Every structure is written in C-alpha cells, then in structure tokens.
Amino acid sequence: ARCATVLPSAGPAPVRGAPEGASPRTPVPGASLASAIQYANAEPRSTWTRAEIAAIYKQPFTELLFQAAAVHRANFDPLEVQKCTLLSIKTGGCSEDCKYCSQSARYSTTVKATPTMQLDEVVEAAKRAKAAGSTRFCMGTAWRELGGKKSTFNRILSMVKEVRGMGLEVCCTLGMVTEEQARQLKEAGLSAYNHNLDTSREHYPNVITTRTYDDRLQTIKNVRKAGITVCCGGILGIGEGVDDRIGLLHELSTMEQHPESVPVNSLVAIDGTPLEGSTPVSIFEVARTIATARITMPRSVVRLSAGRLSFSEMDQAIMFMAGANSIFTGDKLLTTPNPEFNEDEQLFDKLGMTGRPAFAAGRHDSASL
C-alpha cells in the first residue's frame, strides 16, 4: 500500500511512571518510538479514561505529533484528504441561544433569516461542488429541531435523494431528529448526520441553554439506530479550558462506536454574538486536539472545519500531520468565510496531497507500524 511504513513489532511500552488511571497496556507518553508503534497497532476502543486522554494531550508537542502521525498512517493514506462542501439550505432566524452563532434570532448580526432553498437550487450547488472536487455534500439548517415541518422535510428528503444520485456522499445537520425522521433520511440515501457536542458536558451550559447535552446525545442515538453514520465534534475557542477539550474528546472516544467523522471547529467570532472579540485559538491548541482525536479515535475521519481561513498554509500542514484528513472547501461555511476551491487546490499541490474518493474506506488492512 502506498506510504505504508513497516517497522519492527514492539511489545507494550513500559508503564513505569504511567499516569494514574492508565491501563497496563497504555503507552507512556514520551516513550517516543515504542509508544508510536503501540498506538499505531492498537484497535479502536471505547474504554479511554480522562486521565489517559489528558496524558496524551499534555505531552510534549512534537511527541504527540509523531504518535498521531503514526496512527494516521496505520489507518489511512496520509496523502489523501476528503473534500466536503457545506451549504446552508435554511439560514438565520434560529430560536436557540448558542453564544457563538450568527444565525440565532436572539443576537443582532448581519445574518438575515431566509426561507429554505428550493430543490433545483441545491442540486445546482451540489453539481458545482462535485465539479470542484468535493466528494461529500453537506446541507445545514438554522433551527432547533426538525419537528413537524412536514413539507420542508419532504423537500429535504428529495434533496438527499438527488444529491446521492450524483454519486456524492450526503450529510445533513438539521438539529434534533426523531427515530422515524432518521429512518426516512436513511431511506432517502443519507450517508451521515452531523450533530456536534460542541464542548465538554461541564462547559456546555455556559454556551447553550436551549438544548441539553443529553438532547444532543439522544439525536445521535436516533441516527445510529437508523443505520446512518455519525459526524460529531466540537468547537475550540468558546471559553473552554484544556480540561474541557479533554472532556469533549473523552465523550467522543468513549461512545460505543466512534463517530465516523469528527469535525474540529475553531471559533470565528462574529460581531453581535456574546462571543464577539474572543481570543482566537492557536495552532498548538488546534493541533493538540486533532492529534489526540486521531490517537483515541484512530479510524475516524478528522475534519478541519470552521476557522481554517485564519490559519496559514504551514499551520494547516501541521494539522494534516497531526492526523486531519478532511476539509470543507468553498468560499463560505454556513455564514462564515472559508478558503476558496482554487486556494485549496494550490495547497494540495504544495503538500503533494490528493482528494479522497467518495465512499472510500480507511486503510484497515496491509499497513502496519
């Protein structure tokens, strides 16, 4: 397999000085090559403790990067990156109070409420995205839940069928959905459903009060029950601390089945929202989060999402090295700026990267470390 690196097998790294709560087979952060080999050869598990995740996250930056890169290479082609396009099919006017969001009706921002797009508009946007190299097309709506919006839901189901018929993976983020709504989305051809946890359970009430953490987890359960893969991640820079990032990663990595994809967003502070003027997160904070996600959820796709425009090409290269293997392309991400298609193509050329085909599986066979 291309880029497969085969190294001598290694037994468990020594556990002398292992962090409290670490299992006997937990590599000691800082043991370098032995730890990287063991992490890379490990099967996914849902038994991570907070102490284990904290030890991974807080170790020396270059050690963390090296270990994550090893895990990435054992599970994916490191030169292959999934290109996704996100379209807001219903913008603004949301009743929720998410403090980071420009689409909340509670805040005075430049985003104005618009009706749900028509089917032909969405199909044309999907065609443009596919022509530009995207293999996953995501549709988002600004509302709390799908609820009883029957005619709108039927239109969305038609959108899903049409886009799936174009040979694209299809993802939706429609707020809370019931088991029955999830079943209908599955029948229409939906590939994945995005429902982020945003942050740790502890910090969550400081950011959102109109939907509980357990509401979000219930929607994820409904989606899984329907046989739809889950896209679930969070946002950095919303007033959380390191322990909250570790808490978010713990929630995700201890799910019975890891999310198929994990979006890592960096806050784009919008004027008029309660988080306007927030200090931007650094490349080190984002890369640590990506690398820890890669080690603890080795077969999940880790996606660079909102806020990518604020990072340099070299910053983004570090994120790819840390284990990110998916991006959103196009000039807008819901309502915030995003690098344009041609800028991403130039970056891919510089890094020697290629786009990941639609419906591609990860590398789970011949590569080993």
Side-chain angles (χ1 to χ4, degrees):
R2 182 161 65 112
C3 297
T5 303
V6 181
L7 299 177
S9 62
V15 295
R16 184 180 301 143
E20 183 180 357
S23 70
R25 293 187 57 82
T26 300
V28 178
S32 200
L33 184 59
S35 293
I37 292 171
Q38 188 171 329
Y39 280 133
N41 287 333
E43 290 294 313
R45 64 182 175 98
S46 299
T47 57
W48 294 100
T49 66
R50 279 207 182 204
E52 287 176 315
I53 295 172
I56 293 169
Y57 183 97
K58 294 178 180 180
Q59 67 184 306
F61 183 72
T62 52
E63 290 295 292
L64 173 59
L65 216 62
F66 175 64
Q67 293 165 14
V71 174
H72 190 186
R73 280 150 182 76
N75 291 280
F76 294 94
D77 182 336
L79 299 181
E80 205 171 69
V81 176
Q82 179 192 54
K83 298 179 183 179
C84 311
T85 296
L86 175 59
L87 177 68
S88 178
I89 62 173
K90 163 63 181 79
T91 303
C94 183
S95 63
E96 298 223 69
D97 66 353
C98 309
K99 291 183 178 179
Y100 52 78
C101 189
S102 63
Q103 301 197 67
S104 172
R106 299 166 185 252
Y107 312 134
S108 179
T109 69
T110 59
V111 175
K112 304 302 178 186
T114 60
T116 305
M117 294 175 67
Q118 297 300 315
L119 175 61
D120 58 344
E121 295 177 292
V122 173
V123 170
E124 285 303 311
K127 288 179 179 178
R128 291 194 300 271
K130 183 176 181 179
S134 286
T135 56
R136 173 173 288 198
F137 190 76
C138 308
M139 295 175 280
T141 57
W143 57 49
R144 182 174 186 270
E145 60 188 335
L146 196 49
K149 306 175 181 68
K150 292 185 179 180
S151 61
T152 300
F153 185 39
N154 287 333
R155 190 189 312 173
I156 291 172
L157 292 175
S158 296
M159 294 173 184
V160 171
K161 290 176 184 176
E162 289 289 332
V163 175
R164 182 62 181 260
M166 296 167 55
L168 292 169
E169 298 176 23
V170 192
C171 179
C172 282
T173 178
L174 311 172
M176 295 188 292
V177 293
T178 65
E179 288 185 14
E180 173 59 22
Q181 290 165 339
R183 184 191 64 78
Q184 292 182 60
L185 286 165
K186 173 65 175 178
E187 288 183 355
L190 192 69
S191 311
Y193 195 87
N194 168 258
H195 206 62
N196 291 332
L197 293 180
D198 288 349
T199 187
S200 69
R201 182 181 287 272
E202 295 81 5
H203 184 55
Y204 183 88
N206 299 321
V207 183
I208 304 155
T209 65
T210 50
R211 188 191 322 184
T212 69
Y213 213 71
D214 287 326
D215 285 337
R216 292 180 182 262
L217 291 171
Q218 184 60 54
T219 289
I220 291 170
K221 289 179 182 177
N222 294 344
V223 168
R224 284 198 194 280
K225 189 172 183 179
I228 300 170
T229 63
V230 170
C231 170
C232 185
I235 310 172
L236 306 183
I238 55 175
E240 82 286 355
V242 168
D243 287 345
D244 295 307
R245 294 172 194 154
I246 291 166
L248 170 64
L249 292 167
H250 182 254
E251 289 280 352
L252 297 171
S253 63
T254 55
M255 288 181 175
E256 186 174 349
Q257 182 179 357
H258 293 163
E260 176 268 340
S261 51
V262 179
V264 178
N265 297 274
S266 300
L267 176 69
V268 179
I270 303 296
D271 289 346
T273 64
L275 293 181
E276 67 176 350
S278 295
T279 303
V281 290
S282 71
I283 174 59
F284 294 99
E285 294 169 295
V286 179
R288 280 190 181 278
T289 303
I290 290 170
T292 308
R294 171 54 63 221
I295 292 171
T296 56
M297 295 171 281
R299 293 182 183 170
S300 298
V301 171
V302 180
R303 182 169 300 117
L304 301 184
S305 300
R308 187 163 64 91
L309 187 63
S310 64
F311 294 98
S312 70
E313 289 185 338
M314 184 57 71
D315 288 342
Q316 293 178 59
I318 292 171
M319 295 177 193
F320 291 129
M321 190 69 186
N325 59 344
S326 179
I327 60 171
F328 277 116
T329 62
D331 61 358
K332 184 175 284 190
L333 196 57
L334 290 181
T335 61
T336 59
N338 198 52
E340 295 184 2
F341 286 115
N342 61 341
E343 292 177 356
D344 287 329
E345 283 303 304
Q346 292 171 12
L347 177 60
F348 273 44
D349 287 342
K350 291 175 183 177
L351 299 178
M353 291 181 166
T354 59
R356 181 186 182 187
F359 307 104
R363 168 187 283 164
H364 302 162
D365 44 20
S366 59
S368 64
L369 287 166

